[in-house]
Amino acid sequence: MIRPFLTLGALVALGLAAAFPAIAETVTDFTLPNGLEAVVIEDHRAPVVVQMVWYKAGSADEARGKSGVAHFLEHLMFKGTDDLAPGELSKVVEANGGSDNAFTSYDYTAYYQRISADRLELVMRMEADRMRDLILSQDDWQTEREVIIEERNQRTDSDPAAIFGEQRRAAQYLNHPYGTPVIGWRHEMEQLTREDALAWYRRYYAPNNAVLVVAGDVSPDQVKALAEKYYGPLAPTPDLAPRQRVQEPPQLAERRMTFADARVARPYVSRSYLAPERDPGDQARAAALTVLAEVLGGNGATSVLGKALMFGTQKALYVGASYDGMAIDDTTFSLIIVPADGVSMQEAEDALDATLAKFMTEGVDPAQFARIKTQITAGEIYALDQVQGLAQRYGEALASGLSVADVQDWPKALTAVTEADVMAAAKDVFDRRRAVTGWLTHADAPSEPTEVTQ
């Protein structure tokens, strides 16, 4: 009997079909009476557990003039409670062989511990304690405000690429708070007070505004019992209003900018377009944009931009395309080109535009498309092997307005993308009226971007 030969893509696709139903069976979710959402991801290969608590409040929820308060409170959450001394939580986690940290983004703030599975109750008790019982002394908040200002000094103000990115993002969003940096504008950070931090804490840090994700060597019944014991008694915030954000007006004109700095070693051109995000129950457009980013710039050797500009004309040392649809409101689709030696910024931008124009005329190469779909599919399968990554995937999604079903349907949305979907997404997103084109140059470099009409 002659058996049909299966291509690598078909084999991976079959693997995906087999893998995700199995994973879905290990994911359990429930909601406590006080509103806390919880997700349990079982993985019994190692006696390790990750606990993450995600609050549905990030920098984009800050009031005008109070930028940086979400990140400020993230730092202050490691101070004491009525039961824990300042810094005690981290010290206890470390003493038990674990690690912990936190991070703030536009749409959420998250805290996590990675520790031996038999220490889950310990970290859950401490995490639940600081959800409602944070204590801030005068010294605590003033010292920590200096810490976040120094963090801005090191991560942003001392890095021309970071300053450029911050300025470019501010130009991208005419009205929406995604244009304000997560860490905050320095002059507003300097004015933050203890009262600002506590007002943010009291409003947003509550079980009915949080998502608990526990992943690792645990059972759903075990996690639910512990969650009911430690998080269950916490009072919800009454009348917690839905997120109310200002929205973007129609963007009718391209913005162009140049940032010159003597510290710039390698100039580059970047362009970002306003793009749709992943929406609950409707992730098709975001999936098409995800594939488009891979087609255009996912791999220097095989992508459209890489083959044309790095290996064809050799006008670029590096090119790339990126898109992250995980956001509550419109996000961005970005392109970058680093000119090769002897290539001017204008020549690099012109080459980028010419390559994009050719792509829009000729469309997706079928062989490349099949290869990229295989790579994306394989990447989704490999991602299942990392427990903390899975915990982050679910937590980020639920804190951004998606559901457990949306997370589990995402790989299917990616595999359903067609060449026509990719080209339709490209046609929709590549609208220069909704774009910011920026040049990052050395201070001695001549010129500014020339005006381009379209």
PDB file of all heavy atoms in Angstrom, residues 69-82:
ATOM      1  N   VAL A  69       2.062  56.825  37.791  1.00  0.00           N
ATOM      2  CA  VAL A  69       1.575  56.383  39.096  1.00  0.00           C
ATOM      3  C   VAL A  69       1.368  54.873  39.144  1.00  0.00           C
ATOM      4  O   VAL A  69       1.570  54.245  40.193  1.00  0.00           O
ATOM      5  CB  VAL A  69       0.286  57.143  39.493  1.00  0.00           C
ATOM      6  CG1 VAL A  69      -0.900  56.746  38.626  1.00  0.00           C
ATOM      7  CG2 VAL A  69      -0.021  56.933  40.967  1.00  0.00           C
ATOM      8  N   ALA A  70       0.982  54.257  38.029  1.00  0.00           N
ATOM      9  CA  ALA A  70       0.803  52.794  38.023  1.00  0.00           C
ATOM     10  C   ALA A  70       2.129  52.093  38.291  1.00  0.00           C
ATOM     11  O   ALA A  70       2.198  51.148  39.090  1.00  0.00           O
ATOM     12  CB  ALA A  70       0.219  52.342  36.683  1.00  0.00           C
ATOM     13  N   HIS A  71       3.188  52.547  37.629  1.00  0.00           N
ATOM     14  CA  HIS A  71       4.517  51.966  37.842  1.00  0.00           C
ATOM     15  C   HIS A  71       5.051  52.319  39.233  1.00  0.00           C
ATOM     16  O   HIS A  71       5.711  51.499  39.888  1.00  0.00           O
ATOM     17  CB  HIS A  71       5.463  52.482  36.757  1.00  0.00           C
ATOM     18  CG  HIS A  71       6.871  52.013  36.913  1.00  0.00           C
ATOM     19  ND1 HIS A  71       7.898  52.868  37.203  1.00  0.00           N
ATOM     20  CD2 HIS A  71       7.426  50.777  36.834  1.00  0.00           C
ATOM     21  CE1 HIS A  71       9.027  52.193  37.296  1.00  0.00           C
ATOM     22  NE2 HIS A  71       8.772  50.928  37.071  1.00  0.00           N
ATOM     23  N   PHE A  72       4.768  53.521  39.716  1.00  0.00           N
ATOM     24  CA  PHE A  72       5.157  53.950  41.057  1.00  0.00           C
ATOM     25  C   PHE A  72       4.569  52.995  42.098  1.00  0.00           C
ATOM     26  O   PHE A  72       5.276  52.501  42.993  1.00  0.00           O
ATOM     27  CB  PHE A  72       4.662  55.379  41.269  1.00  0.00           C
ATOM     28  CG  PHE A  72       5.043  56.009  42.582  1.00  0.00           C
ATOM     29  CD1 PHE A  72       6.232  55.699  43.237  1.00  0.00           C
ATOM     30  CD2 PHE A  72       4.200  56.952  43.165  1.00  0.00           C
ATOM     31  CE1 PHE A  72       6.583  56.321  44.429  1.00  0.00           C
ATOM     32  CE2 PHE A  72       4.535  57.573  44.355  1.00  0.00           C
ATOM     33  CZ  PHE A  72       5.729  57.254  44.991  1.00  0.00           C
ATOM     34  N   LEU A  73       3.278  52.693  41.976  1.00  0.00           N
ATOM     35  CA  LEU A  73       2.661  51.793  42.952  1.00  0.00           C
ATOM     36  C   LEU A  73       3.236  50.386  42.832  1.00  0.00           C
ATOM     37  O   LEU A  73       3.386  49.689  43.843  1.00  0.00           O
ATOM     38  CB  LEU A  73       1.143  51.762  42.789  1.00  0.00           C
ATOM     39  CG  LEU A  73       0.447  50.861  43.816  1.00  0.00           C
ATOM     40  CD1 LEU A  73       0.649  51.380  45.228  1.00  0.00           C
ATOM     41  CD2 LEU A  73      -1.029  50.708  43.516  1.00  0.00           C
ATOM     42  N   GLU A  74       3.563  49.956  41.624  1.00  0.00           N
ATOM     43  CA  GLU A  74       4.187  48.632  41.483  1.00  0.00           C
ATOM     44  C   GLU A  74       5.405  48.521  42.397  1.00  0.00           C
ATOM     45  O   GLU A  74       5.596  47.517  43.087  1.00  0.00           O
ATOM     46  CB  GLU A  74       4.595  48.400  40.029  1.00  0.00           C
ATOM     47  CG  GLU A  74       5.325  47.081  39.790  1.00  0.00           C
ATOM     48  CD  GLU A  74       6.356  47.164  38.697  1.00  0.00           C
ATOM     49  OE1 GLU A  74       6.023  47.658  37.603  1.00  0.00           O
ATOM     50  OE2 GLU A  74       7.515  46.743  38.930  1.00  0.00           O
ATOM     51  N   HIS A  75       6.230  49.560  42.428  1.00  0.00           N
ATOM     52  CA  HIS A  75       7.399  49.562  43.315  1.00  0.00           C
ATOM     53  C   HIS A  75       6.974  49.558  44.781  1.00  0.00           C
ATOM     54  O   HIS A  75       7.548  48.834  45.606  1.00  0.00           O
ATOM     55  CB  HIS A  75       8.260  50.792  43.035  1.00  0.00           C
ATOM     56  CG  HIS A  75       9.159  50.638  41.849  1.00  0.00           C
ATOM     57  ND1 HIS A  75      10.521  50.640  41.948  1.00  0.00           N
ATOM     58  CD2 HIS A  75       8.880  50.465  40.525  1.00  0.00           C
ATOM     59  CE1 HIS A  75      11.058  50.485  40.748  1.00  0.00           C
ATOM     60  NE2 HIS A  75      10.079  50.384  39.865  1.00  0.00           N
ATOM     61  N   LEU A  76       5.977  50.356  45.107  1.00  0.00           N
ATOM     62  CA  LEU A  76       5.556  50.479  46.500  1.00  0.00           C
ATOM     63  C   LEU A  76       4.895  49.216  47.031  1.00  0.00           C
ATOM     64  O   LEU A  76       4.828  49.013  48.251  1.00  0.00           O
ATOM     65  CB  LEU A  76       4.592  51.660  46.629  1.00  0.00           C
ATOM     66  CG  LEU A  76       5.222  53.042  46.406  1.00  0.00           C
ATOM     67  CD1 LEU A  76       4.136  54.115  46.335  1.00  0.00           C
ATOM     68  CD2 LEU A  76       6.216  53.363  47.515  1.00  0.00           C
ATOM     69  N   MET A  77       4.415  48.358  46.139  1.00  0.00           N
ATOM     70  CA  MET A  77       3.772  47.116  46.581  1.00  0.00           C
ATOM     71  C   MET A  77       4.748  46.167  47.275  1.00  0.00           C
ATOM     72  O   MET A  77       4.322  45.190  47.900  1.00  0.00           O
ATOM     73  CB  MET A  77       3.123  46.412  45.390  1.00  0.00           C
ATOM     74  CG  MET A  77       1.810  47.040  44.951  1.00  0.00           C
ATOM     75  SD  MET A  77       0.462  46.779  46.128  1.00  0.00           S
ATOM     76  CE  MET A  77       0.067  45.057  45.782  1.00  0.00           C
ATOM     77  N   PHE A  78       6.037  46.428  47.189  1.00  0.00           N
ATOM     78  CA  PHE A  78       7.014  45.587  47.870  1.00  0.00           C
ATOM     79  C   PHE A  78       7.357  46.148  49.251  1.00  0.00           C
ATOM     80  O   PHE A  78       8.241  45.634  49.926  1.00  0.00           O
ATOM     81  CB  PHE A  78       8.268  45.445  47.005  1.00  0.00           C
ATOM     82  CG  PHE A  78       8.028  44.609  45.783  1.00  0.00           C
ATOM     83  CD1 PHE A  78       7.555  45.194  44.614  1.00  0.00           C
ATOM     84  CD2 PHE A  78       8.224  43.243  45.806  1.00  0.00           C
ATOM     85  CE1 PHE A  78       7.311  44.426  43.484  1.00  0.00           C
ATOM     86  CE2 PHE A  78       7.976  42.460  44.681  1.00  0.00           C
ATOM     87  CZ  PHE A  78       7.514  43.059  43.516  1.00  0.00           C
ATOM     88  N   LYS A  79       6.654  47.204  49.653  1.00  0.00           N
ATOM     89  CA  LYS A  79       6.769  47.695  51.022  1.00  0.00           C
ATOM     90  C   LYS A  79       5.874  46.829  51.909  1.00  0.00           C
ATOM     91  O   LYS A  79       5.296  45.847  51.481  1.00  0.00           O
ATOM     92  CB  LYS A  79       6.382  49.174  51.078  1.00  0.00           C
ATOM     93  CG  LYS A  79       7.178  50.055  50.128  1.00  0.00           C
ATOM     94  CD  LYS A  79       8.685  49.935  50.359  1.00  0.00           C
ATOM     95  CE  LYS A  79       9.477  50.780  49.410  1.00  0.00           C
ATOM     96  NZ  LYS A  79      10.948  50.642  49.586  1.00  0.00           N
ATOM     97  N   GLY A  80       5.724  47.200  53.141  1.00  0.00           N
ATOM     98  CA  GLY A  80       5.071  46.312  54.093  1.00  0.00           C
ATOM     99  C   GLY A  80       3.564  46.363  54.101  1.00  0.00           C
ATOM    100  O   GLY A  80       2.934  47.212  53.475  1.00  0.00           O
ATOM    101  N   THR A  81       2.997  45.412  54.819  1.00  0.00           N
ATOM    102  CA  THR A  81       1.569  45.367  55.111  1.00  0.00           C
ATOM    103  C   THR A  81       1.427  45.284  56.629  1.00  0.00           C
ATOM    104  O   THR A  81       2.400  45.398  57.365  1.00  0.00           O
ATOM    105  CB  THR A  81       0.904  44.140  54.468  1.00  0.00           C
ATOM    106  OG1 THR A  81       1.362  42.950  55.153  1.00  0.00           O
ATOM    107  CG2 THR A  81       1.241  44.041  52.988  1.00  0.00           C
ATOM    108  N   ASP A  82       0.204  45.066  57.095  1.00  0.00           N
ATOM    109  CA  ASP A  82       0.022  44.906  58.538  1.00  0.00           C
ATOM    110  C   ASP A  82       0.669  43.624  59.051  1.00  0.00           C
ATOM    111  O   ASP A  82       0.949  43.499  60.251  1.00  0.00           O
ATOM    112  CB  ASP A  82      -1.464  44.938  58.899  1.00  0.00           C
ATOM    113  CG  ASP A  82      -2.290  43.974  58.069  1.00  0.00           C
ATOM    114  OD1 ASP A  82      -1.734  43.363  57.122  1.00  0.00           O
ATOM    115  OD2 ASP A  82      -3.502  43.833  58.331  1.00  0.00           O
TER     116      ASP A  82
END
